[in-house]
Coordinates of all heavy atoms in Angstrom, one line a residue:
M180 N 23.3 24.1 8.1 CA 22.9 23.3 9.2 C 23.5 23.9 10.5 O 24.6 24.4 10.5 CB 23.4 21.9 9.0 CG 22.9 20.9 10.1 SD 23.4 19.2 9.8 CE 22.6 18.8 8.3
A181 N 22.8 23.9 11.5 CA 23.2 24.4 12.8 C 24.4 23.6 13.3 O 25.3 23.3 12.6 CB 22.1 24.4 13.8
T182 N 24.5 23.4 14.6 CA 25.6 22.7 15.2 C 25.5 21.2 14.8 O 24.5 20.6 14.8 CB 25.5 22.8 16.7 OG1 25.3 24.1 17.1 CG2 26.8 22.3 17.3
V183 N 26.8 20.7 14.4 CA 26.8 19.3 14.0 C 27.9 18.6 14.8 O 28.9 19.1 15.1 CB 27.2 19.2 12.5 CG1 27.2 17.8 12.0 CG2 26.2 19.9 11.6
E184 N 27.6 17.4 15.3 CA 28.5 16.6 16.0 C 28.9 15.4 15.1 O 28.0 14.7 14.6 CB 28.0 16.2 17.3 CG 29.0 15.4 18.2 CD 28.4 15.0 19.5 OE1 27.4 15.7 20.0 OE2 29.0 14.1 20.1
K185 N 30.1 15.1 15.0 CA 30.6 14.0 14.2 C 30.7 12.8 15.1 O 31.3 12.9 16.1 CB 32.0 14.3 13.5 CG 32.4 13.3 12.6 CD 33.7 13.8 11.9 CE 34.1 12.8 10.8 NZ 35.2 13.2 10.0
I186 N 30.1 11.7 14.5 CA 30.2 10.4 15.3 C 30.6 9.3 14.3 O 30.5 9.5 13.1 CB 28.9 10.0 16.0 CG1 27.8 9.8 15.0 CG2 28.5 11.0 17.1 CD1 26.5 9.2 15.6
S187 N 31.1 8.3 14.9 CA 31.4 7.1 14.0 C 30.4 6.0 14.2 O 30.0 5.7 15.3 CB 32.8 6.6 14.4 OG 33.1 5.4 13.7
V188 N 30.0 5.4 13.1 CA 28.9 4.3 13.1 C 29.5 3.1 12.4 O 30.0 3.3 11.3 CB 27.6 4.8 12.5 CG1 26.6 3.8 12.5 CG2 27.1 6.1 13.2
A189 N 29.3 2.0 13.0 CA 29.7 0.7 12.3 C 28.5 0.1 11.7 O 27.5 -0.1 12.3 CB 30.4 -0.2 13.4
L190 N 28.7 -0.2 10.4 CA 27.5 -0.8 9.7 C 28.0 -2.1 9.0 O 29.2 -2.2 8.6 CB 27.0 0.2 8.6 CG 26.5 1.5 9.0 CD1 26.2 2.4 7.8 CD2 25.2 1.2 9.8
P191 N 27.1 -3.0 8.8 CA 27.5 -4.3 8.1 C 27.7 -3.9 6.6 O 27.2 -2.9 6.1 CB 26.3 -5.2 8.3 CG 25.2 -4.4 8.9 CD 25.8 -3.1 9.3
P192 N 28.5 -4.7 5.9 CA 28.9 -4.4 4.5 C 27.6 -4.1 3.6 O 27.7 -3.3 2.7 CB 29.6 -5.7 4.1 CG 30.1 -6.3 5.3 CD 29.1 -6.0 6.4
E193 N 26.5 -4.9 3.9 CA 25.3 -4.7 3.0 C 24.8 -3.3 3.2 O 24.4 -2.7 2.2 CB 24.3 -5.8 3.4 CG 24.7 -7.2 3.3 CD 25.4 -7.7 4.5 OE1 25.2 -7.1 5.6 OE2 26.2 -8.6 4.4
M194 N 24.7 -2.8 4.4 CA 24.3 -1.5 4.6 C 25.2 -0.4 4.0 O 24.8 0.6 3.5 CB 24.0 -1.2 6.1 CG 22.8 -1.9 6.6 SD 22.5 -1.5 8.3 CE 21.0 -2.2 8.6
V195 N 26.5 -0.6 4.2 CA 27.5 0.3 3.6 C 27.3 0.4 2.2 O 27.3 1.5 1.5 CB 28.9 -0.1 4.0 CG1 29.9 0.7 3.3 CG2 29.2 0.0 5.5
A196 N 27.1 -0.8 1.5 CA 26.9 -0.8 0.0 C 25.7 0.0 -0.4 O 25.7 0.8 -1.4 CB 26.8 -2.2 -0.5
V197 N 24.6 -0.1 0.4 CA 23.4 0.7 0.1 C 23.6 2.2 0.2 O 23.2 2.9 -0.6 CB 22.2 0.2 1.0 CG1 21.0 1.1 0.9 CG2 21.8 -1.3 0.7
V198 N 24.3 2.5 1.3 CA 24.6 4.0 1.5 C 25.5 4.5 0.4 O 25.2 5.6 -0.2 CB 25.3 4.2 2.8 CG1 25.8 5.6 3.0 CG2 24.3 3.9 4.0
R199 N 26.5 3.7 0.0 CA 27.4 4.2 -1.0 C 26.7 4.3 -2.4 O 26.9 5.2 -3.2 CB 28.6 3.2 -1.1 CG 29.6 3.5 0.0 CD 30.9 2.7 -0.3 NE 31.8 3.0 0.8 CZ 32.6 2.1 1.4 NH1 32.6 0.9 1.1 NH2 33.4 2.6 2.4
K200 N 25.8 3.3 -2.7 CA 25.1 3.3 -3.9 C 24.1 4.5 -4.0 O 24.0 5.2 -5.1 CB 24.2 2.0 -4.1 CG 23.6 1.9 -5.4 CD 22.8 0.6 -5.5 CE 22.1 0.4 -6.8 NZ 21.4 -0.8 -7.0
A201 N 23.6 4.9 -2.9 CA 22.7 6.1 -2.9 C 23.5 7.4 -3.1 O 22.9 8.3 -3.9 CB 22.0 6.2 -1.5
V202 N 24.7 7.4 -2.7 CA 25.5 8.6 -2.9 C 26.0 8.6 -4.4 O 26.0 9.6 -5.1 CB 26.7 8.7 -1.9 CG1 27.7 9.8 -2.3 CG2 26.2 8.8 -0.5
E203 N 26.5 7.4 -4.8 CA 27.0 7.3 -6.2 C 26.0 7.6 -7.2 O 26.3 8.1 -8.2 CB 27.6 5.9 -6.4 CG 29.0 5.7 -5.6 CD 29.4 4.3 -5.6 OE1 28.7 3.4 -6.1 OE2 30.4 4.0 -4.9
S204 N 24.7 7.3 -7.0 CA 23.7 7.5 -7.9 C 23.3 9.0 -8.0 O 22.5 9.4 -8.9 CB 22.4 6.6 -7.5 OG 21.8 7.2 -6.4
G205 N 23.7 9.7 -7.0 CA 23.5 11.1 -7.0 C 22.1 11.4 -6.2 O 21.7 12.6 -6.1
E206 N 21.6 10.4 -5.7 CA 20.3 10.7 -4.9 C 20.6 11.5 -3.6 O 19.8 12.3 -3.2 CB 19.8 9.3 -4.6 CG 18.3 9.4 -3.9 CD 17.8 7.9 -3.6 OE1 18.4 7.0 -4.1 OE2 16.8 7.9 -3.0
Y207 N 21.8 11.3 -3.1 CA 22.3 12.0 -1.9 C 23.6 12.5 -2.2 O 24.4 11.9 -2.9 CB 22.3 11.1 -0.7 CG 20.9 10.6 -0.3 CD1 20.4 9.3 -0.8 CD2 20.1 11.3 0.6 CE1 19.2 8.9 -0.4 CE2 18.9 10.8 1.0 CZ 18.4 9.6 0.5 OH 17.2 9.2 0.9
S208 N 24.0 13.6 -1.5 CA 25.3 14.2 -1.7 C 26.4 13.6 -0.8 O 27.6 13.8 -1.1 CB 25.3 15.7 -1.6 OG 24.9 16.1 -0.3
S209 N 26.0 13.0 0.2 CA 27.0 12.3 1.2 C 26.3 11.2 1.9 O 25.1 11.1 2.0 CB 27.5 13.4 2.2 OG 26.5 13.8 3.0
A210 N 27.2 10.4 2.5 CA 26.8 9.3 3.4 C 26.0 9.9 4.6 O 25.0 9.3 5.1 CB 28.0 8.4 3.8
S211 N 26.5 11.1 5.1 CA 25.8 11.7 6.2 C 24.4 12.0 5.9 O 23.5 11.9 6.7 CB 26.6 12.9 6.7 OG 27.9 12.6 7.2
E212 N 24.2 12.5 4.7 CA 22.9 12.9 4.3 C 21.9 11.6 4.3 O 20.8 11.7 4.7 CB 22.9 13.5 2.9 CG 21.6 14.2 2.5 CD 21.7 14.8 1.2 OE1 22.6 15.8 1.0 OE2 21.0 14.5 0.2
V213 N 22.4 10.5 3.8 CA 21.7 9.2 3.8 C 21.3 8.8 5.3 O 20.1 8.5 5.5 CB 22.5 8.1 3.1 CG1 21.7 6.8 3.2 CG2 22.8 8.4 1.7
I214 N 22.2 8.9 6.1 CA 22.1 8.4 7.5 C 21.1 9.4 8.2 O 20.1 9.0 8.9 CB 23.4 8.4 8.3 CG1 24.4 7.4 7.6 CG2 23.1 8.1 9.7 CD1 23.8 6.0 7.5
R215 N 21.2 10.7 7.9 CA 20.3 11.7 8.5 C 18.9 11.4 8.1 O 17.9 11.5 8.9 CB 20.7 13.1 8.2 CG 21.8 13.7 9.0 CD 22.0 15.2 8.8 NE 22.3 15.6 7.4 CZ 23.6 15.6 7.0 NH1 24.6 15.4 7.8 NH2 23.8 16.0 5.8
E216 N 18.6 11.1 6.8 CA 17.2 10.9 6.4 C 16.8 9.6 7.0 O 15.6 9.5 7.4 CB 17.2 10.8 4.8 CG 15.7 10.5 4.4 CD 15.5 10.7 2.9 OE1 16.1 11.6 2.4 OE2 14.6 10.0 2.4
A217 N 17.6 8.6 7.1 CA 17.2 7.3 7.7 C 16.8 7.6 9.1 O 15.8 7.0 9.7 CB 18.3 6.3 7.6
L218 N 17.5 8.4 9.8 CA 17.1 8.7 11.3 C 15.9 9.5 11.3 O 15.1 9.3 12.3 CB 18.3 9.5 12.0 CG 19.5 8.6 12.3 CD1 20.7 9.5 12.8 CD2 19.2 7.5 13.3
R219 N 15.7 10.4 10.4 CA 14.3 11.1 10.4 C 13.2 10.1 10.2 O 12.2 10.2 10.8 CB 14.3 12.2 9.3 CG 15.2 13.4 9.7 CD 14.9 14.6 8.7 NE 15.4 14.3 7.4 CZ 16.7 14.6 7.0 NH1 17.6 15.2 7.8 NH2 17.1 14.3 5.7
D220 N 13.4 9.2 9.2 CA 12.3 8.2 9.0 C 12.1 7.3 10.2 O 10.9 7.0 10.5 CB 12.7 7.4 7.7 CG 12.6 8.1 6.5 OD1 12.0 9.2 6.4 OD2 13.1 7.6 5.4
W221 N 13.2 7.0 10.9 CA 13.1 6.1 12.1 C 12.3 6.8 13.2 O 11.5 6.3 13.9 CB 14.5 5.7 12.5 CG 14.6 5.0 13.8 CD1 14.3 3.8 14.1 CD2 15.0 5.5 15.1 NE1 14.5 3.4 15.4 CE2 15.0 4.5 16.0 CE3 15.5 6.8 15.5 CZ2 15.3 4.7 17.4 CZ3 15.9 6.9 16.8 CH2 15.8 5.9 17.7
K222 N 12.6 8.1 13.4 CA 11.9 8.9 14.4 C 10.4 9.0 14.1 O 9.6 8.9 14.9 CB 12.5 10.3 14.5 CG 13.8 10.4 15.2 CD 14.5 11.8 15.2 CE 13.6 12.8 15.6 NZ 14.2 14.2 15.6
L223 N 10.1 9.2 12.8 CA 8.7 9.3 12.4 C 8.0 8.0 12.6 O 6.9 8.0 13.1 CB 8.7 9.7 10.9 CG 7.2 9.8 10.3 CD1 6.4 10.8 11.1 CD2 7.3 10.1 8.8
K224 N 8.7 6.9 12.3 CA 8.1 5.5 12.4 C 7.8 5.3 14.0 O 6.8 4.8 14.3 CB 9.1 4.4 12.0 CG 8.6 3.1 12.2 CD 9.6 2.0 11.7 CE 9.2 0.7 12.1 NZ 10.3 -0.2 12.3
R225 N 8.7 5.7 14.8 CA 8.5 5.5 16.3 C 7.3 6.4 16.7 O 6.6 6.0 17.6 CB 9.8 5.9 17.0 CG 10.9 4.8 16.8 CD 12.2 5.3 17.5 NE 12.0 5.5 18.9 CZ 12.4 4.8 19.9 NH1 13.0 3.6 19.7 NH2 12.2 5.1 21.1
K226 N 7.2 7.6 16.2 CA 6.1 8.5 16.6 C 4.7 7.9 16.2 O 3.8 7.9 16.9 CB 6.3 9.9 15.9 CG 5.3 10.9 16.4 CD 5.6 12.2 15.8 CE 4.6 13.3 16.3 NZ 4.9 14.6 15.9
V227 N 4.7 7.4 14.9 CA 3.5 6.7 14.4 C 3.2 5.5 15.3 O 2.0 5.3 15.6 CB 3.6 6.4 12.9 CG1 2.5 5.5 12.5 CG2 3.7 7.6 12.1
E228 N 4.1 4.7 15.6 CA 3.9 3.5 16.5 C 3.3 4.0 17.8 O 2.4 3.3 18.3 CB 5.2 2.7 16.6 CG 5.6 2.0 15.4 CD 7.0 1.3 15.5 OE1 7.7 1.6 16.5 OE2 7.3 0.5 14.5
A229 N 3.9 5.0 18.4 CA 3.4 5.5 19.7 C 1.9 6.0 19.5 O 1.1 5.7 20.4 CB 4.2 6.6 20.2
L230 N 1.6 6.7 18.5 CA 0.2 7.1 18.3 C -0.7 6.0 18.1 O -1.8 6.0 18.6 CB 0.2 8.1 17.1 CG 0.9 9.4 17.2 CD1 0.9 10.2 15.9 CD2 0.1 10.3 18.3
E231 N -0.2 5.0 17.3 CA -1.1 3.8 17.1 C -1.3 3.0 18.4 O -2.4 2.6 18.7 CB -0.5 2.8 16.1 CG -0.5 3.3 14.7 CD 0.3 2.5 13.7 OE1 1.1 1.7 14.1 OE2 0.1 2.7 12.5
L232 N -0.3 2.9 19.3 CA -0.5 2.3 20.5 C -1.4 3.1 21.4 O -2.3 2.5 22.1 CB 0.9 2.2 21.2 CG 1.0 1.4 22.5 CD1 0.4 -0.1 22.4 CD2 2.4 1.3 23.1
D233 N -1.3 4.4 21.4 CA -2.2 5.2 22.2 C -3.7 5.0 21.7 O -4.6 4.9 22.5 CB -1.9 6.7 22.1 CG -0.6 7.1 22.8 OD1 -0.2 6.2 23.7 OD2 -0.1 8.1 22.6
E234 N -3.9 4.9 20.4 CA -5.2 4.7 19.8 C -5.7 3.3 20.2 O -6.9 3.2 20.6 CB -5.1 4.9 18.3 CG -6.5 4.6 17.6 CD -7.6 5.6 17.9 OE1 -7.3 6.6 18.6 OE2 -8.7 5.4 17.5
L235 N -4.9 2.3 20.2 CA -5.3 1.0 20.6 C -5.8 1.0 22.1 O -6.8 0.4 22.4 CB -4.2 0.0 20.4 CG -4.0 -0.5 19.0 CD1 -2.8 -1.4 18.9 CD2 -5.2 -1.2 18.4
R236 N -4.9 1.7 22.9 CA -5.3 1.7 24.3 C -6.7 2.5 24.5 O -7.5 2.1 25.3 CB -4.2 2.5 25.1 CG -3.0 1.7 25.3 CD -2.0 2.4 26.2 NE -0.9 1.6 26.5 CZ 0.4 1.9 26.2 NH1 0.7 3.1 25.7 NH2 1.4 1.1 26.5
R237 N -6.9 3.5 23.7 CA -8.1 4.3 23.8 C -9.3 3.4 23.4 O -10.3 3.4 24.1 CB -8.1 5.5 22.9 CG -9.3 6.5 23.0 CD -9.4 7.5 22.0 NE -9.7 6.9 20.6 CZ -10.8 6.5 20.2 NH1 -11.9 6.5 21.0 NH2 -11.0 5.9 19.0
L238 N -9.1 2.6 22.3 CA -10.2 1.7 21.9 C -10.4 0.6 22.9 O -11.7 0.3 23.1 CB -9.8 1.1 20.6 CG -9.9 2.1 19.3 CD1 -9.2 1.5 18.1 CD2 -11.2 2.6 19.1
V239 N -9.5 0.1 23.5 CA -9.6 -0.9 24.5 C -10.4 -0.3 25.7 O -11.4 -1.0 26.2 CB -8.3 -1.5 25.0 CG1 -8.5 -2.3 26.3 CG2 -7.7 -2.4 24.0
N240 N -10.0 0.8 26.1 CA -10.7 1.5 27.3 C -12.2 1.8 26.8 O -13.1 1.7 27.7 CB -10.0 2.8 27.7 CG -8.7 2.4 28.5 OD1 -8.7 1.5 29.1 ND2 -7.8 3.2 28.3
E241 N -12.4 2.2 25.6 CA -13.8 2.5 25.1 C -14.6 1.2 25.2 O -15.7 1.3 25.6 CB -13.7 3.0 23.7 CG -15.0 3.4 23.2 CD -14.9 3.9 21.7 OE1 -14.1 4.8 21.5 OE2 -15.6 3.4 20.8
G242 N -14.0 0.1 24.8 CA -14.7 -1.2 24.9 C -15.0 -1.6 26.3 O -16.2 -2.0 26.6
I243 N -14.1 -1.4 27.2 CA -14.3 -1.8 28.6 C -15.4 -0.9 29.2 O -16.3 -1.3 29.9 CB -13.0 -1.6 29.4 CG1 -12.0 -2.7 28.9 CG2 -13.2 -1.6 30.9 CD1 -10.6 -2.5 29.5
S244 N -15.4 0.4 28.8 CA -16.4 1.3 29.4 C -17.8 1.1 28.7 O -18.8 1.6 29.3 CB -16.0 2.8 29.1 OG -14.8 3.1 29.6
S245 N -17.9 0.4 27.6 CA -19.2 0.3 27.0 C -20.1 -0.7 27.7 O -21.3 -0.8 27.3 CB -19.0 -0.2 25.5 OG -18.5 -1.5 25.5
G246 N -19.6 -1.4 28.7 CA -20.5 -2.3 29.4 C -20.0 -3.7 29.3 O -19.0 -4.0 28.8
P247 N -20.7 -4.6 29.9 CA -20.3 -6.0 30.0 C -20.4 -6.6 28.6 O -21.2 -6.3 27.8 CB -21.4 -6.6 31.0 CG -22.6 -5.7 30.9 CD -22.0 -4.3 30.6
S248 N -19.6 -7.6 28.5 CA -19.5 -8.3 27.2 C -20.6 -9.3 27.1 O -21.2 -9.7 28.1 CB -18.1 -8.9 27.0 OG -17.9 -9.9 28.0
V249 N -20.9 -9.8 25.9 CA -21.9 -10.9 25.8 C -21.1 -12.0 25.1 O -20.3 -11.8 24.1 CB -23.0 -10.4 24.8 CG1 -24.0 -11.5 24.5 CG2 -23.7 -9.2 25.4
D250 N -21.3 -13.2 25.6 CA -20.7 -14.3 25.1 C -21.0 -14.6 23.6 O -22.2 -14.7 23.3 CB -21.0 -15.6 25.9 CG -20.3 -16.9 25.5 OD1 -19.0 -16.9 25.3 OD2 -21.0 -17.8 25.1
A251 N -20.1 -14.7 22.7 CA -20.3 -14.8 21.3 C -21.1 -16.1 21.0 O -22.0 -16.2 20.2 CB -19.0 -14.8 20.5
E252 N -20.8 -17.2 21.7 CA -21.4 -18.5 21.5 C -22.9 -18.4 21.8 O -23.8 -18.9 21.1 CB -20.8 -19.6 22.2 CG -21.3 -21.0 21.8 CD -21.2 -21.3 20.3 OE1 -20.2 -20.9 19.7 OE2 -22.2 -21.8 19.8
L253 N -23.2 -17.7 22.9 CA -24.6 -17.4 23.2 C -25.4 -16.7 22.1 O -26.5 -17.1 21.8 CB -24.7 -16.7 24.6 CG -26.1 -16.3 25.0 CD1 -26.9 -17.5 25.3 CD2 -26.0 -15.4 26.3
V254 N -24.8 -15.6 21.6 CA -25.4 -14.8 20.6 C -25.6 -15.7 19.4 O -26.7 -15.7 18.8 CB -24.5 -13.6 20.2 CG1 -25.0 -12.9 19.0 CG2 -24.4 -12.7 21.4
F255 N -24.6 -16.5 19.0 CA -24.8 -17.3 17.7 C -25.8 -18.4 17.9 O -26.5 -18.7 17.0 CB -23.5 -17.9 17.3 CG -22.5 -16.9 16.7 CD1 -21.3 -16.6 17.2 CD2 -22.9 -16.1 15.6 CE1 -20.5 -15.6 16.7 CE2 -22.1 -15.2 15.0 CZ -20.9 -14.9 15.6
S256 N -25.9 -19.0 19.1 CA -26.8 -20.0 19.4 C -28.3 -19.5 19.3 O -29.2 -20.1 18.7 CB -26.5 -20.8 20.7 OG -26.8 -19.9 21.7
R257 N -28.4 -18.3 19.8 CA -29.7 -17.6 19.7 C -30.1 -17.3 18.2 O -31.2 -17.5 17.8 CB -29.8 -16.3 20.5 CG -29.8 -16.5 22.0 CD -29.7 -15.2 22.7 NE -29.8 -15.4 24.2 CZ -29.5 -14.5 25.1 NH1 -29.3 -13.2 24.7 NH2 -29.5 -14.7 26.3
L258 N -29.1 -16.9 17.5 CA -29.4 -16.6 16.1 C -29.7 -17.9 15.3 O -30.7 -17.9 14.5 CB -28.2 -15.9 15.4 CG -28.0 -14.4 15.8 CD1 -26.6 -13.9 15.3 CD2 -29.1 -13.6 15.3
R259 N -28.9 -18.9 15.6 CA -29.3 -20.2 14.9 C -30.7 -20.7 15.2 O -31.4 -21.1 14.4 CB -28.2 -21.3 15.3 CG -26.9 -21.1 14.6 CD -26.0 -22.4 14.9 NE -25.4 -22.3 16.2 CZ -24.3 -21.7 16.6 NH1 -23.6 -21.1 15.7 NH2 -23.9 -21.8 17.8
A260 N -31.1 -20.6 16.5 CA -32.4 -21.0 16.9 C -33.4 -20.1 16.2 O -34.5 -20.6 15.8 CB -32.5 -20.9 18.4
K261 N -33.2 -18.8 16.1 CA -34.2 -17.9 15.6 C -34.4 -18.3 14.1 O -35.5 -18.3 13.6 CB -33.7 -16.5 15.7 CG -34.5 -15.4 15.0 CD -33.9 -14.0 15.1 CE -34.7 -13.0 14.3 NZ -34.2 -11.7 14.4
Y262 N -33.3 -18.4 13.4 CA -33.4 -18.7 11.9 C -33.9 -20.1 11.7 O -34.5 -20.4 10.7 CB -32.0 -18.4 11.3 CG -31.9 -16.9 11.1 CD1 -30.9 -16.3 11.9 CD2 -32.7 -16.1 10.3 CE1 -30.7 -14.9 11.8 CE2 -32.5 -14.7 10.2 CZ -31.5 -14.1 11.0 OH -31.4 -12.8 10.9
A263 N -33.6 -21.1 12.6 CA -34.1 -22.4 12.4 C -35.6 -22.5 12.6 O -36.3 -23.2 11.9 CB -33.4 -23.3 13.4
A264 N -36.2 -21.5 13.4 CA -37.6 -21.5 13.6 C -38.4 -20.8 12.6 O -39.6 -20.8 12.5 CB -37.9 -20.8 15.0
M265 N -37.7 -20.0 11.7 CA -38.4 -19.3 10.6 C -38.8 -20.3 9.5 O -38.1 -21.3 9.3 CB -37.4 -18.3 10.0 CG -37.1 -17.1 11.0 SD -35.9 -15.9 10.4 CE -36.9 -15.0 9.3
P266 N -40.0 -20.0 8.9 CA -40.4 -20.9 7.9 C -39.4 -20.8 6.7 O -38.8 -19.8 6.4 CB -41.7 -20.3 7.4 CG -41.9 -19.0 8.1 CD -40.8 -18.9 9.2
N267 N -39.2 -21.9 6.1 CA -38.3 -22.0 4.9 C -39.0 -21.4 3.7 O -40.0 -21.7 3.3 CB -38.0 -23.5 4.6 CG -36.5 -23.8 4.6 OD1 -35.7 -22.9 4.6 ND2 -36.2 -25.1 4.4
Q268 N -38.3 -20.4 3.1 CA -38.8 -19.8 1.9 C -37.8 -20.1 0.8 O -36.6 -19.9 0.8 CB -38.9 -18.3 2.1 CG -39.8 -17.8 3.2 CD -39.9 -16.3 3.3 OE1 -39.3 -15.6 2.6 NE2 -40.7 -15.9 4.3
E269 N -38.5 -20.6 -0.3 CA -37.7 -20.9 -1.5 C -37.3 -19.7 -2.2 O -38.0 -18.7 -2.2 CB -38.4 -21.8 -2.4 CG -38.6 -23.2 -1.8 CD -39.3 -24.1 -2.8 OE1 -39.1 -23.9 -4.0 OE2 -40.0 -25.0 -2.3
E270 N -36.1 -19.7 -2.7 CA -35.6 -18.5 -3.5 C -36.3 -18.4 -4.8 O -36.6 -19.4 -5.5 CB -34.1 -18.5 -3.7 CG -33.4 -18.4 -2.3 CD -31.9 -18.1 -2.5 OE1 -31.5 -17.6 -3.6 OE2 -31.1 -18.5 -1.7
V271 N -36.6 -17.2 -5.3 CA -37.3 -17.0 -6.6 C -36.3 -17.1 -7.7 O -35.2 -16.8 -7.7 CB -38.0 -15.6 -6.6 CG1 -38.7 -15.4 -7.9 CG2 -38.9 -15.6 -5.4

């Protein structure tokens, strides 16, 4: 690993137990390795959230650009009237 800076982190007992269990099980070689992976996952999660937010903004802007909206109640009342005016056909 390149340059490493040592810091101290305070964790609640439950989290400490999880970190220690991961090391004791052999899944990780040190507590530092557990924390580094957790931070990598956290960074990835933040990146995904930012991308999702950007996509939501894009979709909202696309909707706004698509033209004026139509009141849903108006659309449904027209459909109800249309289907009410159609002759009743019995199912076969």
Side-chain angles (χ1 to χ4, degrees):
M180 185 178 298
T182 312
V183 182
E184 183 177 342
K185 188 173 184 175
I186 63 170
S187 175
V188 178
L190 298 172
E193 303 82 26
M194 288 184 170
V195 171
V197 169
V198 170
R199 286 190 175 137
K200 185 176 179 180
V202 174
E203 290 167 3
S204 72
E206 188 177 352
Y207 295 91
S208 61
S209 69
S211 293
E212 193 177 298
V213 176
I214 302 303
R215 281 192 296 270
E216 181 165 328
L218 286 171
R219 283 190 294 270
D220 288 347
W221 175 73
K222 283 174 53 179
L223 178 61
K224 178 184 171 206
R225 288 174 56 105
K226 185 175 183 178
V227 167
E228 287 171 349
L230 291 172
E231 289 173 346
L232 186 57
D233 288 345
E234 177 66 4
L235 285 173
R236 284 186 178 123
R237 186 191 69 74
L238 290 170
V239 166
N240 287 329
E241 183 180 311
I243 291 169
S244 300
S245 69
S248 62
V249 178
D250 180 58
E252 190 50 47
L253 175 63
V254 172
F255 287 121
S256 67
R257 288 178 180 169
L258 286 171
R259 282 190 286 273
K261 175 183 176 180
Y262 287 109
M265 292 175 78
N267 232 354
Q268 295 181 4
E269 293 183 29
E270 292 191 31
V271 178

